[in-house]
């Protein structure tokens, strides 16, 4: 071992020791990265939705529209309880607080008025009493919240038994609670807390505390109480760690055993939000009674009553990145318990991850020092792959949450540091040569030069490309009213955001031409489904522009919206190095490029933001397309068939678009035949168009003035196939 290698090993081992100590300290940044990793696992493989008997009775916008704003009078909630109980609900849990008297009660309203005889007031109905009477002898669970004031503790409706050591010290502390109305407190079959992540600053709800403790008494959450009441159980059995106080391992209620974290929390393994989970409260309260399917779903189910109305601000973020009503997370807690799909992070996980950093880091130090950089890189990638595969296997097959990021990050930093030392000290001359050439060539071009014989020559090859042109609408007007620096800022903001979607969809950014982008697919390397990827990039650009406009990212004000036009065409073009012997660019030229540019220019005439040629449309079986007519393009002797890209596969499969597509076909048939029904069809399609896409109304307004684009001949069979697909 040379002295240089000895120094490299010493430095590497010191870095490994520092990284191991850092992981042992587990700073918040590492914890956040670990949480994000586990979130990504759930996004890749969310818990499958299963039809278990759990539903949310949703006080949604439709319910508020029919029955008035929230809060509702409690006699209406009493009626809701009675209806649900009559339909056979196994448990009815309210994800709301009943701390104050009902201000909408007739007795309360009369008491606030002047001059009414107290004897008359006493005879008026009291909604709290009505609600309390309705929940008596029914499987109703009420919720309480956490409070920093007072010393109220809600009554506990169940008993607690223990195995192992007392886990009270492990649970989140209950200092005080929001009080319940006395009659409600007495008559409820169960009482549970509704807090989803108390004391956790993260907006993402990843784990929910199943129990709270004030040091002597335990308090279950709303989901556990609903499950207990539904089973008719009377006792929770809490398991502590043998010989260790302040650690909880599981909870048993009725027939179900729930694994928990040391702090008594359940890791949420969520499903994407599903409409099947929700039943509108309007259907229950409607005088005609709920549909048979709704009544059947309620019978024997655990029901959570809450709200999804945005104005009531009970919206939470899940590990999947979805914003969902808080009540749905209580429902998902019970769904997860009933289905038996659990996640857990074992107590030995931290030790394993710390050991992995130390062992793998030391191994990489010696490998990087004594073998070639290529072998060291291969070993580093193998270790990374092994950590990812092992972590994913534990998650998908065993439900264990083991962090691959800590050993990967530690190994990467170690490998980078050791490799950097080697390059700085051992490979200095070669690095100097490469750095000199790096001043003149981009990394990607340098790689091509190194690995391609005769790469530095002019010329190109004919390839089938999908070419895209993007242009900013009314750019001249924008540039006239802005100073030059503001124009540059606007273009940089817009073009940077849009160009990311070309790269993300495996496209090649050819050039920026003022306010325009030229890109193409299927060169310099083959790209499978390049036509579809170009269209997906265009749809992503549309969404990004809508977000930028909504956020006023350009600073033009909420009323000044920026628009773009996108033209896409698939055809043969020559792609390669173009220019002079001493200076050239990698680009594409040919008729396919010209056609794509002309299609983009036609967006204004057609009145739509994304147009594609027939050649591109033939291979878009899953996209929502509408025939846009045969348009004469500048420099072309024949007209070109164009299609408007309304949306992606989700929209294409929707009932709304299916209906619009049929109306569109009728409209085109009427245009070609000059049918007297044209005006009627046009009126019907305008009403439908706005609901499908905000870009369609202008498309149909201009279509009426483009009748000649549709009257030459009826669509050929292959064109009908494009439209129908």
């Amino acid at each position: 071992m040379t002295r240089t290698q000895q120094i490299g090993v010493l430095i590497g081992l010191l870095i490994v020791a520092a990284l191991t100590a850092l992981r042992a300290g587990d700073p918040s940044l590492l914890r956040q990265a670990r949480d994000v990793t586990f979130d990504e696992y759930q996004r890749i493989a969310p818990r499958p939705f299963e039809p278990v008997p759990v539903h949310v009775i949703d006080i949604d916008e439709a319910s508020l529209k029919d029955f008035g704003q929230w809060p509702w009078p409690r006699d209406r909630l009493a009626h809701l309880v009675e209806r649900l109980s009559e339909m056979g609900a196994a448990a009815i849990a309210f994800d709301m607080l009943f701390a104050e008297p009902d201000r909408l009660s007739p007795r309360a309203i009369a008491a606030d008025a002047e001059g009414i005889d107290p004897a008359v007031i006493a005879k008026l109905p009291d909604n709290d009493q009505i609600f309390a009477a309705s929940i008596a002898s029914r499987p109703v669970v009420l919720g309480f919240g956490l409070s920093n004031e007072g010393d109220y503790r809600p009554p506990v409706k169940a008993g607690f038994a223990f195995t192992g050591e007392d886990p009270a010290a492990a649970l989140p502390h209950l200092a005080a609670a929001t009080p319940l109305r006395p009659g409600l407190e007495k008559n409820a079959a169960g009482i549970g807390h509704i807090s989803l992540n108390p004391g956790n600053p993260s907006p993402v709800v990843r784990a929910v505390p199943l129990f709270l403790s004030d040091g002597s008494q335990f308090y279950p959450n709303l989901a556990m109480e609903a499950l207990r009441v539904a089973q008719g159980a009377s006792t929770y059995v809490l398991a502590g760690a043998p010989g260790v106080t302040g650690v909880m391992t599981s909870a048993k209620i009725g027939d179900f055993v729930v694994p928990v974290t040391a702090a008594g929390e359940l890791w949420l393994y969520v499903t994407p939000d599903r409409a099947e989970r929700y039943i509108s409260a309007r259907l229950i309260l409607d005088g005609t009674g709920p549909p048979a399917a709704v009544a059947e779903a309620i019978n024997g189910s655990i029901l959570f009553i809450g709200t999804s109305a945005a104005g009531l601000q009970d919206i939470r973020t899940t590990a999947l990145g979805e914003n969902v009503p808080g009540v749905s997370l209580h429902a998902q807690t019970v769904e997860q318990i009933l289905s038996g799909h659990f996640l857990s992070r074992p107590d030995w996980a931290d030790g394993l991850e710390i050991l992995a950093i130390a062992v793998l880091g030391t191994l990489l130090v010696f490998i990087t020092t004594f073998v070639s950089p290529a072998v060291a890189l291969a070993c580093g990638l193998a270790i990374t792959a092994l950590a990812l595969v092992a972590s994913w296997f534990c998650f998908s097959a065993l439900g264990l949450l083991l962090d691959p990021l800590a050993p990967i990050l530690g190994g990467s930093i170690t490998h980078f540091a050791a490799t950097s030392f080697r390059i700085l000290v051992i490979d200095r001359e070669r690095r100097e040569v490469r750095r000199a050439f790096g001043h003149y060539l981009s990394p990607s071009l340098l790689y091509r030069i190194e690995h391609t014989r005769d790469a530095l020559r002019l010329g190109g090859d004919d390839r089938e490309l999908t070419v895209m042109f993007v242009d900013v609408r009314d750019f001249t007007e924008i540039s006239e009213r802005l100073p030059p620096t503001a124009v540059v800022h606007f273009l940089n903001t817009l073009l940077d955001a849009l160009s990311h979607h070309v790269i993300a969809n495996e496209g090649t950014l050819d050039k920026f031409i003022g306010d325009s982008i030229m890109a193409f697919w299927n060169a310099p390397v083959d790209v499978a489904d390049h036509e579809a990827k170009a269209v997906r990039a265009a749809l992503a650009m549309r969404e990004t522009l809508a977000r930028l406009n909504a956020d006023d990212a350009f600073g033009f004000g909420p009323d000044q919206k920026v628009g773009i036009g996108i033209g896409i065409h698939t055809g043969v073009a020559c792609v390669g190095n173009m220019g002079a012997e001493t200076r050239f660019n990698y680009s594409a030229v040919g008729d396919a490029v010209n056609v794509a540019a002309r299609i983009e220019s036609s967006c204004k005439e057609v009145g739509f933001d994304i147009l594609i040629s027939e050649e591109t449309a033939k291979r878009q079986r899953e996209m929502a397309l509408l025939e846009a007519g045969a348009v004469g393009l500048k420099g072309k002797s024949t007209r070109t068939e164009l299609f408007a890209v309304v949306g992606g596969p989700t929209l294409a499969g929707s009932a709304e678009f299916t209906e619009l597509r049929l109306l569109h076909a009728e409209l085109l048939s009427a245009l070609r035949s000059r049918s007297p029904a044209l005006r009627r069809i046009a009126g019907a399609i305008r009403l439908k168009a706005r609901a499908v896409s905000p870009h369609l109304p202008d498309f149909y307004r201009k279509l009426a003035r483009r009748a000649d684009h549709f009257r030459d001949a009826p669509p050929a069979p292959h064109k009908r196939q494009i439209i129908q697909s």
Side-chain angles (χ1 to χ4, degrees):
M1 183 186 300
T2 66
R3 180 173 178 79
T4 300
Q5 290 174 327
Q6 291 175 348
I7 294 174
V9 169
L10 178 61
I11 294 175
L13 293 179
L14 289 174
I15 292 173
V16 170
L19 291 172
T20 304
L22 179 67
R23 175 59 186 86
D26 202 20
S28 61
L29 186 61
L30 287 181
R31 293 197 300 271
Q32 292 172 14
R34 185 163 60 242
D35 288 340
V36 170
T37 300
F38 297 152
D39 290 349
E40 287 300 320
Y41 282 179
Q42 290 207 47
R43 293 179 186 184
I44 295 171
R47 177 172 61 85
F49 180 81
E50 300 177 58
V52 295
V54 180
H55 295 283
V56 172
I57 304 301
D58 188 10
I59 302 173
D60 53 8
E61 300 287 358
S63 301
L64 297 180
K65 181 179 179 181
D66 284 2
F67 294 97
Q69 65 182 10
W70 187 260
W72 285 348
R74 288 177 189 161
D75 60 340
R76 184 171 297 143
L77 298 181
H79 182 50
L80 181 61
V81 168
E82 291 165 0
R83 283 283 186 92
L84 295 173
S85 181
E86 290 168 0
M87 286 185 275
I92 305 168
F94 281 87
D95 180 27
M96 55 190 69
L97 302 177
F98 298 104
E100 304 293 336
D102 185 1
R103 61 181 178 83
L104 300 177
S105 176
R107 186 179 297 178
I109 294 173
D112 290 338
E114 296 181 0
I116 300 179
D117 188 346
V120 174
I121 294 176
K123 295 179 181 180
L124 293 175
D126 182 274
N127 288 348
D128 285 320
Q129 293 178 359
I130 295 172
F131 187 37
S134 73
I135 69 174
S137 302
R138 288 190 170 97
V140 175
V141 180
L142 300 182
F144 69 88
L146 307 186
S147 175
N148 295 322
E149 300 178 357
D151 56 1
Y152 171 79
R153 304 286 195 282
V156 179
K157 301 286 184 171
F160 286 85
F162 307 96
T163 62
E165 299 296 327
D166 186 353
L171 305 179
H173 182 68
L174 175 66
T178 55
L180 280 166
R181 301 297 298 161
L184 303 180
E185 177 185 89
K186 176 182 177 182
N187 291 349
I191 297 177
H193 74 85
I194 63 176
S195 300
L196 290 169
N197 54 347
N200 191 334
S202 173
V204 180
V205 181
R206 298 183 175 94
V208 294
L210 299 185
F211 301 93
L212 305 176
S213 175
D214 60 4
S216 58
Q217 180 61 57
F218 295 85
Y219 301 88
N221 77 346
L222 189 71
M224 292 297 282
E225 275 290 81
L227 182 60
R228 179 187 68 80
V229 169
Q231 296 181 92
S234 60
T235 304
Y236 294 100
V237 180
L238 307 185
V244 181
T245 60
V247 175
M248 188 171 172
T249 59
S250 67
K252 184 176 186 296
I253 179 62
D255 297 329
F256 300 95
V257 177
V258 185
V260 296
T261 67
E265 297 177 321
L266 172 70
W267 276 94
L268 282 178
Y269 191 9
V270 294
T271 73
D273 210 23
R274 297 283 292 263
E276 296 93 324
R277 184 175 287 125
Y278 299 88
I279 298 173
S280 175
R282 176 179 61 86
L283 298 176
I284 310 301
L285 295 172
D286 191 286
T288 60
V294 171
E296 182 180 354
I298 289 174
N299 185 28
S301 290
I302 298 173
L303 306 176
F304 290 87
I305 300 178
T307 178
S308 67
L312 301 184
Q313 299 181 341
D314 185 26
I315 303 298
R316 305 301 179 97
T317 303
T318 71
L320 304 183
E322 294 182 327
N323 293 324
V324 302
V327 65
S328 73
L329 296 183
H330 293 295
Q332 291 224 41
T333 299
V334 179
E335 286 179 16
Q336 188 174 341
I337 295 172
L338 294 182
S339 63
H341 294 296
F342 297 107
L343 298 177
S344 64
R345 180 165 168 79
D347 53 7
W348 44 263
D350 285 326
L352 177 64
E353 292 160 9
I354 293 170
L355 180 63
I357 291 176
V359 173
L360 297 179
T362 300
L363 180 62
L364 277 176
V365 167
F366 283 95
I367 290 175
T368 306
T369 302
F370 293 104
V371 301
S372 69
V375 174
L377 178 61
C379 292
L381 293 176
I383 291 173
T384 298
L386 178 63
L388 285 173
V389 170
S391 175
W392 174 254
F393 173 79
C394 289
F395 169 81
S396 59
L398 307 175
L400 299 179
L401 297 173
L402 300 180
D403 181 19
L405 204 61
I408 289 174
L409 185 61
S412 299
I413 293 175
T414 302
H415 179 267
F416 175 78
T419 303
S420 298
F421 176 81
R422 178 170 179 168
I423 291 174
L424 288 171
V425 177
I426 301 174
D427 299 332
R428 182 176 301 169
E429 291 183 3
R430 187 172 5 174
R431 178 174 55 86
E432 289 294 335
V433 173
R434 287 183 56 82
R435 186 172 62 181
F437 277 98
H439 287 300
Y440 300 97
L441 303 173
S442 69
S444 60
L445 186 55
L446 180 59
Y447 180 86
R448 290 182 62 237
I449 292 171
E450 290 176 335
H451 294 82
T452 305
R453 180 174 295 181
D454 296 330
L456 291 175
R457 65 178 179 84
L458 293 177
D461 301 313
D462 288 344
R463 294 176 66 98
E464 183 184 64
L465 303 181
T466 296
V467 185
M468 169 192 288
F469 276 85
V470 184
D471 186 66
V472 180
R473 290 289 167 260
D474 302 319
F475 177 70
T476 301
E477 178 185 344
I478 294 173
S479 59
E480 285 178 350
R481 56 186 173 85
L482 294 177
T485 54
V487 174
V488 171
H489 171 73
F490 159 68
L491 285 177
N492 288 342
T493 301
L494 178 62
L495 299 182
D496 178 68
L498 299 184
S499 61
H500 282 310
H501 298 299
V502 175
I503 304 301
N505 286 278
E506 301 182 51
T508 299
L509 275 171
D510 185 296
K511 60 177 70 73
F512 296 102
I513 313 168
D515 62 323
S516 302
I517 299 174
M518 176 184 168
F520 53 81
W521 278 257
N522 208 37
V525 295
D526 293 336
V527 176
D529 298 326
H530 52 89
E531 304 90 351
K533 288 174 181 175
V535 173
R536 283 199 290 269
L539 290 172
M541 289 179 180
R542 174 191 285 168
E543 294 178 1
T544 295
L545 181 61
R547 175 177 54 80
L548 292 174
N549 279 326
D551 296 342
D552 193 19
F554 309 117
F556 295 166
D559 298 329
Q560 298 293 324
K561 304 297 184 184
V562 174
I564 60 174
I566 302 175
I568 301 174
H569 174 62
T570 300
V572 176
C574 182
V575 60
N577 294 322
M578 312 288 174
E581 289 285 352
T582 56
R583 188 174 183 86
F584 48 77
N585 291 320
Y586 186 78
S587 185
V589 295
D591 185 62
V593 177
N594 297 334
V595 171
R598 300 295 185 265
I599 292 174
E600 181 277 317
S601 300
S602 300
C603 288
K604 291 182 180 179
E605 180 183 3
V606 174
F608 203 72
D609 61 334
I610 304 177
L611 296 178
I612 63 177
S613 68
E614 183 179 7
E615 288 74 9
T616 305
K618 288 177 182 177
R619 311 180 203 189
Q620 308 296 324
R621 300 299 181 189
E622 297 181 352
M623 297 297 176
L625 305 180
L626 292 176
E627 185 181 353
V631 179
L633 302 182
K634 183 178 179 181
K636 301 293 289 183
S637 59
T638 59
R639 291 200 275 180
T640 302
E641 296 285 351
L642 300 182
F643 291 83
V645 182
V646 185
T650 301
L651 179 63
S654 67
E656 291 83 358
F657 183 75
T658 300
E659 183 178 349
L660 175 66
R661 188 177 60 195
L662 294 175
L663 286 173
H664 186 79
E666 291 183 28
L667 178 65
L668 299 191
S669 178
L671 276 174
R672 293 183 175 106
S673 63
R674 295 176 173 85
S675 170
L678 177 61
R679 181 170 297 179
R680 174 186 60 79
I681 299 172
I685 205 167
R686 287 194 191 99
L687 293 175
K688 178 62 62 176
R690 186 174 296 278
V692 173
S693 169
H695 302 275
L696 284 172
D698 187 46
F699 172 73
Y700 282 110
R701 279 194 297 270
K702 293 187 176 181
L703 187 144
R705 299 194 295 269
R706 300 190 302 111
D708 289 344
H709 292 170
F710 300 91
R711 287 178 177 167
D712 288 347
H718 67 273
K719 191 191 305 180
R720 286 198 296 269
Q721 186 178 14
I722 291 170
I723 299 170
Q724 292 168 1
S725 64

